[in-house]
Each structure stands twice: as C-alpha cells, then as structure tokens.
Amino acid sequence: MSLLEAFKDRLAQTSPTPLALDIVQAEGCLLHDRSGRTYIDLVAGLAVCNVGHRHPAVVKAIKEQADRYLHVIPYGEFLQEPQVHYAERLTSMLPSSLNCVYFVNSGTEAIEAALKLAKRITGRTRLIACRKSYHGSTHGSLSITGNEEKKYRHRPLLPDVRFIRFNAMEDIILIDNETAAVVVEPVQGDAGVRVPDEAWLQALRERCDKTGAIMIFDEVQTGFGRTGRLFGMDHFGVVPDILVLGKALGGGLPMGAFVSSRERMQLLTHQPALGHITTFGGHPLVCAAGLAALEALTAEEMPAHATRMGALFKELLVHPLIKEVRGLGLMLAVELGDAQRVQRVVHDCLDHGVLGFWFLSCPTAFRIAPPLIISGSQVRQACATILAALSRNAT
Ligand code: PMP
C-alpha cells in the first residue's frame, strides 16, 4: 500500500478532500514535500507554529528534556521542573489576577476544565457564548460552539447554553445573575477573523462584574503573538477571570492550559479532591518546548514583527476580487465573498508553492496565519502568488 493509500485506508478521515501534502521537512516558514517542492506556510499548523517550524531553541529544549525524563506521573503529584518553570514564566507575563496555571493537552480540554471551574466558582450552570464561535470538538466545547452544523447530530449536548451575537451591545443584557460563565474569543478565529469593538468587550466585562458571571477568554488561537500582541486581550484592556490557552502554547507540541487566580483554582483541590485531573497534562517534554518557544517569542520580539508583516500583507493584497483583508497582526482573513473561488484560489496557491487554508465557519474567505517569523521577502512572494492565483481564477 502506498503512503497515500494507507493514509486514506488506515487513518480516520475527517475531511472529504484532504490536501494530503506529504511533508518530509519543515523549518522556519517553509515546508518541503517528498517530491522536493517547497511551500511558504501561511497556516502555521493552524496558529500553532508561531515561532516557526523547528525553532533551534525549541528543538534543543526538547532534546535536553528527552535526555532527562519523559512522563513520570499524572499531573499534580511530583515536582516537575519544566512544568513549574513554564507556569512561573507564563504568569509573570500575565495580569496579576491570572497567577495560577493548570496545564492540559489541548484547547478543547482547557475549555472543558474552564467551564467546570466557572460552575464551581458560581454554583450556577448557565453558559453564554457567541454565535459563530469555535471552542472545540468535545461535548462541552461543542455545546458552546456557535456552529449548528457541527452540533445537531450530537444532541443532547450541555443544557442551559445561550448565545449572544458577537460584538452586539444589545445582547449583553442576556448575561444575568443566573449566568455561570460567558465564553468569548477576544478576536473570533474560525468565524473568519472578527475583531470586536473595545467598548463591547469592556461592556461585557462590566456586565460580568455586575452579575457575578465568570468571564472566560478563549485565547487558544489569539495567544502568543498571533495578533501582534502577546495575547489578544492586550489590544482591549480587558482581563478575564479565566484565560484559556492552547495551540502555540506548546511550541509545536500538543498542549492546552487554563489560567485563573490561585484562590479560584483551589476549588479544584477539595470537595471533591482531584476536581480536575489529567494523565498527560503538563508533560515535561511539552512544557520544556513551550517555555523555550515563549522565551524565543519575546526575545526575538515576534509580536511586533507580526504587526509589521500583517500590515505588509494588507498593503500588498489589493485586487479587484479581494473585498477585504481583516484581522490583527498575522491573524488575517482574505474575504472574497465567494466560497467556490476561495477553494479554487487556495488550491491554485498550493500548486504554486503557497499554503493557505479555509475557515470552519466562513467559507467566503481564506486565512493567512503564517509563523510570526515570516520575512518581508516571503510575504512579498506569497502575496504575488495569491494575486496571480486570483487573476487566474477571475471568471
Ligand atoms: N478555541 C479556539 C478559539 C480554537 O481556534 C480552537 C481550535 N481551532 C479550539 C478552541 C480547540 O482547540 P483544540 O483543537 O486544541 O482542541
């Protein structure tokens, strides 16, 4: 069986039309396939490889930790130096109320745990999320995801979930003193990159304070420099009660986390003890990689570079078929207003050495979310390819 046949036959398929690139090597912003072709990566493993593929400091940290120990015990029993160091460093970069980290294995798992914690804090059950949101694929996260198509075959999901419109002031009133949590992406990702008004997020914060609802920011996609600041929330001057992280958190290895105050986190220690548990969460190898990535991200000032490169994309991507390029930093959506053309253009770009990708809930746009280290000349090359692809697919 060929590799492609085995891929299709022996691995569960989620996409009816997988891209099926056969990557043998990756570094920086480039992917190399088995046939010797090179691609500029505008996807970064879906906002994971923010510091670039195989950043030398990340690879070094992984190798060094692999030589010490791998898994030794489920989360929370032993002192594991990489875990403690990563939690210390991460919280040193966050507002002082977000001073305690719980590491898990993925974004959706972190969302699940954050929902549980919000219920524990408030003693309430009602959850509020936004239309067109994406929070993950497990039952709880799916329940608060605003994409009906992904949900309807899995009901019953969590009860007592309500949706508000993203960035709609009038809907904030739906948050009341029966609300346990309000879950928001500071910039919606899979909705096609939607940036809210600062006033809306601030009003949401005030309403949560007034009603006692817990404000949860899902920064799985917006975290770690993606939007041009270390975290998406940094654009808006709003601090959540629980911060949810994932994707780039592990420096290219699988990881999620939720961060809150020490007092609130202590609810997970008693009645019941072991209030949230995970075997692999905070794996030492992943923590070592994540910490090295975070150090590289800040030392090399990648968020500021992302701002500059994002502006360059916006400047260069001018074409009669482009209705809008929206987003912050290197979290961008190129809006064509035509779902079929998006498909054709993404495939055309791939044929010409540029990997772009689509969104879950916005078929009329494609995403640009490269590693944050993308160079100016790579941006120019990628934009020239995109513009040529648009012209080839004008009819
Ligand atoms: N929240 C957001 C905002 C996301 O973009 C994603 C993944 N696309 C998730 C949660 C789920 O993360 P994971 O796939 O690691 O479970």
Side-chain angles (χ1 to χ4, degrees), residues 325-390:
V325 181
R326 51 174 185 268
L328 292 173
L330 285 172
M331 183 174 180
L332 298 172
V334 181
E335 181 62 61
L336 301 184
D338 178 337
Q340 288 195 341
R341 185 170 282 128
V342 164
Q343 296 283 326
R344 296 204 317 262
V345 167
V346 168
H347 282 288
D348 189 313
C349 285
L350 195 62
D351 289 343
H352 292 85
V354 172
L355 174 67
F357 212 59
W358 16 78
F359 294 100
L360 286 177
S361 304
C362 181
T364 56
F366 63 91
R367 79 172 79 215
I368 293 186
L372 308 183
I373 49 135
I374 191 168
S375 69
S377 65
Q378 286 169 331
V379 172
R380 283 174 209 285
Q381 199 183 329
C383 287
T385 303
I386 292 168
L387 295 176
L390 282 165

Coordinates of all heavy atoms in Angstrom, one line a residue, residues 325-390:
V325 N -9.3 42.6 3.6 CA -8.4 41.8 4.4 C -8.5 42.3 5.8 O -8.2 43.4 6.1 CB -6.9 42.0 3.9 CG1 -6.0 41.1 4.7 CG2 -6.8 41.7 2.4
R326 N -9.1 41.4 6.7 CA -9.4 41.9 8.0 C -8.6 41.1 9.0 O -8.1 40.0 8.8 CB -10.9 41.8 8.3 CG -11.5 40.5 8.1 CD -13.0 40.4 8.5 NE -13.4 39.1 8.3 CZ -14.0 38.7 7.2 NH1 -14.3 39.5 6.2 NH2 -14.2 37.4 7.0
G327 N -8.4 41.7 10.2 CA -7.7 41.0 11.3 C -6.6 41.8 11.9 O -6.5 43.0 11.6
L328 N -5.9 41.2 12.9 CA -4.9 41.9 13.6 C -3.6 41.1 13.5 O -3.7 39.9 13.5 CB -5.3 42.0 15.1 CG -6.4 42.9 15.5 CD1 -6.8 42.7 17.0 CD2 -6.1 44.3 15.2
G329 N -2.5 41.8 13.4 CA -1.2 41.1 13.3 C -1.2 40.1 12.2 O -1.5 40.4 11.0
L330 N -0.8 38.8 12.5 CA -0.8 37.8 11.5 C -2.0 36.8 11.7 O -1.8 35.6 11.5 CB 0.6 37.1 11.5 CG 1.6 37.9 10.8 CD1 3.0 37.3 11.0 CD2 1.4 38.2 9.3
M331 N -3.1 37.4 12.1 CA -4.3 36.6 12.2 C -5.3 37.3 11.2 O -6.0 38.2 11.5 CB -4.9 36.6 13.6 CG -6.1 35.8 13.8 SD -6.6 35.8 15.6 CE -8.1 34.8 15.5
L332 N -5.2 36.9 9.9 CA -5.9 37.6 8.9 C -6.8 36.7 8.1 O -6.6 35.5 7.9 CB -4.8 38.2 7.9 CG -3.8 39.2 8.5 CD1 -2.7 39.5 7.4 CD2 -4.5 40.5 8.9
A333 N -7.9 37.4 7.6 CA -8.8 36.7 6.6 C -8.9 37.5 5.4 O -9.0 38.7 5.4 CB -10.2 36.6 7.3
V334 N -8.7 36.8 4.3 CA -8.9 37.5 3.0 C -10.3 37.2 2.4 O -10.6 36.0 2.1 CB -7.8 37.0 2.0 CG1 -7.9 37.7 0.6 CG2 -6.4 37.2 2.5
E335 N -11.1 38.2 2.4 CA -12.5 38.0 2.1 C -12.7 38.1 0.6 O -12.4 39.2 0.0 CB -13.4 39.0 2.8 CG -14.9 38.9 2.6 CD -15.5 37.6 3.1 OE1 -15.4 37.3 4.3 OE2 -16.0 36.9 2.2
L336 N -13.2 37.1 0.0 CA -13.5 37.1 -1.5 C -15.0 37.2 -1.7 O -15.4 37.5 -2.8 CB -12.9 35.9 -2.2 CG -11.4 35.6 -2.1 CD1 -11.0 34.4 -2.9 CD2 -10.6 36.9 -2.5
G337 N -15.8 36.8 -0.7 CA -17.3 36.9 -0.9 C -17.8 35.8 -1.8 O -18.9 35.9 -2.3
D338 N -17.0 34.8 -2.0 CA -17.3 33.7 -3.0 C -16.6 32.4 -2.5 O -15.4 32.3 -2.7 CB -16.9 34.2 -4.4 CG -17.2 33.1 -5.5 OD1 -17.3 31.9 -5.1 OD2 -17.2 33.5 -6.6
A339 N -17.5 31.5 -2.0 CA -16.9 30.3 -1.4 C -16.2 29.4 -2.5 O -15.1 28.8 -2.2 CB -18.0 29.5 -0.7
Q340 N -16.7 29.3 -3.7 CA -16.1 28.5 -4.7 C -14.7 29.0 -5.1 O -13.8 28.3 -5.3 CB -17.0 28.3 -5.9 CG -18.2 27.4 -5.5 CD -18.9 26.9 -6.7 OE1 -18.8 27.5 -7.8 NE2 -19.7 25.9 -6.5
R341 N -14.7 30.4 -5.2 CA -13.4 31.0 -5.6 C -12.4 30.8 -4.5 O -11.2 30.6 -4.9 CB -13.6 32.5 -6.0 CG -12.4 33.1 -6.5 CD -12.6 34.5 -7.0 NE -13.1 34.5 -8.4 CZ -14.2 35.2 -8.7 NH1 -14.8 36.0 -7.8 NH2 -14.7 35.2 -9.9
V342 N -12.8 30.8 -3.3 CA -11.9 30.6 -2.2 C -11.2 29.2 -2.4 O -10.0 29.1 -2.3 CB -12.6 30.7 -0.8 CG1 -11.7 30.0 0.3 CG2 -12.9 32.1 -0.5
Q343 N -12.0 28.2 -2.7 CA -11.5 26.8 -2.9 C -10.5 26.8 -4.0 O -9.4 26.3 -3.9 CB -12.6 25.9 -3.2 CG -13.7 25.7 -2.1 CD -13.2 24.8 -1.0 OE1 -12.4 23.9 -1.3 NE2 -13.5 25.1 0.2
R344 N -10.9 27.5 -5.1 CA -10.0 27.4 -6.3 C -8.7 28.2 -6.1 O -7.6 27.7 -6.4 CB -10.7 28.0 -7.5 CG -12.0 27.2 -7.9 CD -12.4 27.4 -9.4 NE -12.3 28.8 -9.9 CZ -13.4 29.6 -9.9 NH1 -14.6 29.2 -9.5 NH2 -13.3 30.8 -10.4
V345 N -8.8 29.3 -5.4 CA -7.6 30.1 -5.2 C -6.6 29.4 -4.2 O -5.4 29.4 -4.4 CB -8.0 31.5 -4.6 CG1 -6.8 32.3 -4.1 CG2 -8.7 32.3 -5.8
V346 N -7.2 28.8 -3.1 CA -6.3 28.1 -2.2 C -5.6 26.9 -2.9 O -4.4 26.8 -2.7 CB -7.1 27.6 -1.0 CG1 -6.3 26.6 -0.1 CG2 -7.6 28.8 -0.1
H347 N -6.3 26.2 -3.8 CA -5.6 25.1 -4.5 C -4.6 25.6 -5.5 O -3.5 25.1 -5.6 CB -6.7 24.2 -5.2 CG -7.4 23.3 -4.2 ND1 -6.8 22.2 -3.7 CD2 -8.6 23.3 -3.7 CE1 -7.6 21.6 -2.9 NE2 -8.7 22.2 -2.9
D348 N -5.0 26.7 -6.1 CA -4.1 27.3 -7.1 C -2.8 27.8 -6.4 O -1.7 27.6 -6.9 CB -4.8 28.5 -7.8 CG -4.0 29.1 -9.0 OD1 -2.8 29.3 -8.8 OD2 -4.6 29.3 -10.1
C349 N -2.9 28.4 -5.2 CA -1.8 28.9 -4.5 C -0.9 27.7 -4.1 O 0.3 27.7 -4.2 CB -2.2 29.6 -3.2 SG -2.8 31.3 -3.5
L350 N -1.5 26.6 -3.7 CA -0.8 25.4 -3.3 C 0.0 24.9 -4.5 O 1.2 24.5 -4.4 CB -1.8 24.3 -2.8 CG -1.1 23.2 -2.1 CD1 -0.4 23.7 -0.8 CD2 -2.2 22.2 -1.7
D351 N -0.6 24.9 -5.7 CA 0.1 24.4 -6.9 C 1.3 25.3 -7.2 O 2.2 24.9 -7.9 CB -0.8 24.5 -8.1 CG -1.9 23.4 -8.0 OD1 -1.7 22.5 -7.3 OD2 -2.9 23.5 -8.8
H352 N 1.3 26.6 -6.7 CA 2.4 27.5 -6.9 C 3.2 27.8 -5.7 O 3.8 28.8 -5.6 CB 1.8 28.8 -7.5 CG 1.3 28.6 -8.9 ND1 0.0 28.1 -9.1 CD2 1.9 28.7 -10.1 CE1 -0.2 28.0 -10.4 NE2 0.9 28.3 -11.1
G353 N 3.2 26.9 -4.7 CA 4.1 26.9 -3.6 C 3.7 27.8 -2.4 O 4.6 28.2 -1.6
V354 N 2.4 28.1 -2.3 CA 2.0 28.8 -1.1 C 0.8 28.1 -0.4 O -0.2 27.8 -1.1 CB 1.5 30.3 -1.5 CG1 0.9 31.0 -0.3 CG2 2.7 31.1 -1.9
L355 N 1.0 27.7 0.8 CA -0.1 27.0 1.6 C -0.9 28.0 2.3 O -0.5 28.7 3.3 CB 0.6 26.0 2.5 CG -0.4 25.3 3.5 CD1 -1.3 24.4 2.7 CD2 0.3 24.5 4.6
G356 N -2.2 28.1 1.9 CA -3.2 28.9 2.7 C -4.3 27.9 3.1 O -4.1 26.7 2.9
F357 N -5.3 28.4 3.8 CA -6.3 27.4 4.3 C -7.6 28.2 4.5 O -7.7 29.4 4.5 CB -5.8 26.8 5.6 CG -6.3 25.4 5.8 CD1 -6.0 24.4 4.9 CD2 -7.1 25.1 6.9 CE1 -6.4 23.1 5.1 CE2 -7.5 23.8 7.2 CZ -7.2 22.8 6.3
W358 N -8.7 27.4 4.7 CA -10.0 28.0 4.9 C -10.4 28.1 6.4 O -9.6 27.8 7.2 CB -11.1 27.2 4.1 CG -10.6 25.8 3.8 CD1 -10.5 24.7 4.6 CD2 -10.1 25.4 2.5 NE1 -9.9 23.7 3.9 CE2 -9.7 24.1 2.6 CE3 -9.9 26.1 1.3 CZ2 -9.1 23.4 1.6 CZ3 -9.3 25.3 0.2 CH2 -8.9 24.0 0.4
F359 N -11.6 28.5 6.6 CA -12.2 28.6 8.0 C -13.3 27.7 8.1 O -14.0 27.3 7.2 CB -12.7 30.1 8.2 CG -11.7 31.1 8.2 CD1 -11.5 31.9 7.1 CD2 -10.9 31.3 9.3 CE1 -10.5 32.9 7.1 CE2 -9.9 32.3 9.3 CZ -9.7 33.1 8.2
L360 N -13.6 27.3 9.4 CA -14.7 26.4 9.7 C -16.0 27.1 9.4 O -17.0 26.4 8.8 CB -14.7 26.0 11.1 CG -13.6 24.9 11.5 CD1 -13.7 24.7 13.0 CD2 -13.8 23.6 10.8
S361 N -16.2 28.3 9.8 CA -17.5 29.0 9.7 C -17.5 30.2 8.8 O -18.4 31.0 8.9 CB -17.9 29.4 11.1 OG -17.9 28.3 12.0
C362 N -16.6 30.3 7.9 CA -16.6 31.4 6.9 C -16.1 31.0 5.6 O -14.9 31.2 5.3 CB -15.8 32.5 7.5 SG -15.8 34.0 6.5
P363 N -16.9 30.3 4.8 CA -16.4 29.7 3.5 C -16.0 30.7 2.5 O -15.4 30.4 1.5 CB -17.6 28.9 3.0 CG -18.8 29.5 3.7 CD -18.4 30.1 5.0
T364 N -16.4 32.0 2.7 CA -16.1 33.0 1.6 C -14.7 33.7 1.8 O -14.4 34.6 1.0 CB -17.2 34.1 1.6 OG1 -17.3 34.7 2.9 CG2 -18.6 33.5 1.2
A365 N -14.0 33.3 2.8 CA -12.7 33.9 3.0 C -11.6 32.8 3.2 O -12.0 31.7 3.6 CB -12.7 34.8 4.2
F366 N -10.4 33.1 3.0 CA -9.3 32.2 3.4 C -8.4 32.9 4.4 O -8.3 34.1 4.5 CB -8.6 31.6 2.2 CG -7.8 32.6 1.3 CD1 -6.5 32.9 1.6 CD2 -8.4 33.2 0.3 CE1 -5.7 33.8 0.8 CE2 -7.7 34.1 -0.5 CZ -6.4 34.4 -0.2
R367 N -7.7 32.0 5.1 CA -6.9 32.5 6.2 C -5.4 32.8 5.8 O -4.8 32.0 5.0 CB -7.0 31.6 7.5 CG -6.1 30.4 7.5 CD -6.2 29.7 8.8 NE -7.4 29.0 9.0 CZ -8.0 28.8 10.2 NH1 -7.6 29.4 11.3 NH2 -9.1 28.1 10.3
I368 N -4.8 33.8 6.5 CA -3.4 34.0 6.4 C -2.9 34.0 7.9 O -3.3 35.0 8.6 CB -3.0 35.3 5.7 CG1 -3.4 35.1 4.2 CG2 -1.6 35.6 5.9 CD1 -3.0 36.2 3.3
A369 N -2.2 33.0 8.3 CA -1.7 32.9 9.7 C -0.4 32.2 9.7 O -0.3 31.1 10.2 CB -2.8 32.2 10.6
P370 N 0.6 32.8 9.1 CA 1.9 32.1 9.0 C 2.7 32.1 10.3 O 2.3 32.9 11.3 CB 2.7 33.0 8.0 CG 2.1 34.4 8.2 CD 0.6 34.2 8.5
P371 N 3.8 31.4 10.4 CA 4.6 31.6 11.5 C 5.0 33.1 11.7 O 5.1 33.8 10.6 CB 5.9 30.8 11.2 CG 5.4 29.7 10.3 CD 4.3 30.4 9.5
L372 N 5.1 33.6 12.9 CA 5.3 35.0 13.1 C 6.6 35.5 12.6 O 6.9 36.7 12.5 CB 5.1 35.4 14.6 CG 3.8 34.8 15.2 CD1 3.8 35.3 16.7 CD2 2.6 35.2 14.5
I373 N 7.5 34.6 12.3 CA 8.9 35.0 11.8 C 9.0 35.2 10.3 O 10.0 35.3 9.8 CB 9.9 33.9 12.2 CG1 9.4 32.5 11.8 CG2 10.1 33.9 13.7 CD1 10.4 31.7 11.2
I374 N 7.8 35.1 9.6 CA 7.9 35.2 8.2 C 8.6 36.5 7.8 O 8.4 37.5 8.4 CB 6.4 35.2 7.6 CG1 6.5 35.1 6.1 CG2 5.6 36.4 8.1 CD1 5.1 34.7 5.4
S375 N 9.5 36.4 6.7 CA 10.3 37.6 6.4 C 9.5 38.4 5.4 O 8.5 38.0 4.7 CB 11.6 37.1 5.7 OG 11.3 36.5 4.5
G376 N 9.9 39.7 5.2 CA 9.3 40.6 4.3 C 9.3 40.0 2.9 O 8.3 40.1 2.1
S377 N 10.5 39.4 2.5 CA 10.5 38.9 1.1 C 9.6 37.7 0.9 O 9.0 37.5 -0.1 CB 11.9 38.5 0.7 OG 12.4 37.5 1.5
Q378 N 9.4 36.9 2.0 CA 8.4 35.8 1.9 C 7.0 36.3 1.8 O 6.2 35.7 1.1 CB 8.6 34.8 3.1 CG 9.8 33.9 3.1 CD 10.1 33.2 4.4 OE1 9.8 33.7 5.4 NE2 10.7 32.0 4.2
V379 N 6.7 37.4 2.5 CA 5.4 38.0 2.4 C 5.2 38.5 1.0 O 4.1 38.2 0.4 CB 5.2 39.2 3.4 CG1 3.9 39.9 3.2 CG2 5.3 38.7 4.9
R380 N 6.2 39.1 0.4 CA 6.0 39.6 -1.0 C 5.8 38.5 -1.9 O 5.0 38.6 -2.8 CB 7.3 40.4 -1.4 CG 7.3 41.8 -0.8 CD 8.6 42.5 -1.0 NE 8.9 43.5 0.0 CZ 8.3 44.6 0.2 NH1 7.3 45.0 -0.6 NH2 8.5 45.4 1.3
Q381 N 6.6 37.4 -1.8 CA 6.5 36.3 -2.7 C 5.1 35.6 -2.5 O 4.4 35.3 -3.5 CB 7.6 35.2 -2.3 CG 7.9 34.2 -3.4 CD 8.9 33.2 -2.9 OE1 9.8 33.6 -2.1 NE2 8.8 32.0 -3.4
A382 N 4.6 35.5 -1.3 CA 3.3 34.9 -1.0 C 2.2 35.7 -1.6 O 1.3 35.2 -2.3 CB 3.1 34.7 0.5
C383 N 2.3 37.0 -1.5 CA 1.3 37.9 -2.0 C 1.2 37.9 -3.5 O 0.2 37.9 -4.1 CB 1.5 39.4 -1.5 SG 1.1 39.5 0.3
A384 N 2.4 37.9 -4.1 CA 2.5 37.8 -5.6 C 1.8 36.6 -6.1 O 1.0 36.6 -7.1 CB 4.0 37.9 -6.1
T385 N 2.0 35.5 -5.4 CA 1.4 34.2 -5.8 C -0.1 34.3 -5.6 O -0.9 33.8 -6.4 CB 2.0 33.0 -4.9 OG1 3.4 33.0 -5.1 CG2 1.4 31.7 -5.3
I386 N -0.6 34.9 -4.5 CA -2.0 35.0 -4.2 C -2.7 35.9 -5.3 O -3.7 35.5 -5.9 CB -2.3 35.5 -2.8 CG1 -1.9 34.5 -1.7 CG2 -3.8 35.9 -2.6 CD1 -1.8 35.1 -0.3
L387 N -2.0 37.0 -5.6 CA -2.6 37.9 -6.6 C -2.7 37.2 -8.0 O -3.7 37.4 -8.7 CB -1.8 39.2 -6.7 CG -1.8 40.0 -5.4 CD1 -0.9 41.3 -5.5 CD2 -3.3 40.5 -5.0
A388 N -1.6 36.5 -8.3 CA -1.6 35.8 -9.6 C -2.7 34.7 -9.6 O -3.4 34.5 -10.6 CB -0.3 35.2 -9.9
A389 N -2.9 34.0 -8.5 CA -3.9 33.0 -8.4 C -5.3 33.6 -8.6 O -6.2 33.0 -9.2 CB -3.8 32.2 -7.1
L390 N -5.5 34.8 -8.0 CA -6.8 35.5 -8.1 C -7.1 35.8 -9.6 O -8.2 35.6 -10.1 CB -6.8 36.7 -7.2 CG -7.0 36.5 -5.7 CD1 -6.6 37.8 -5.0 CD2 -8.5 36.1 -5.5

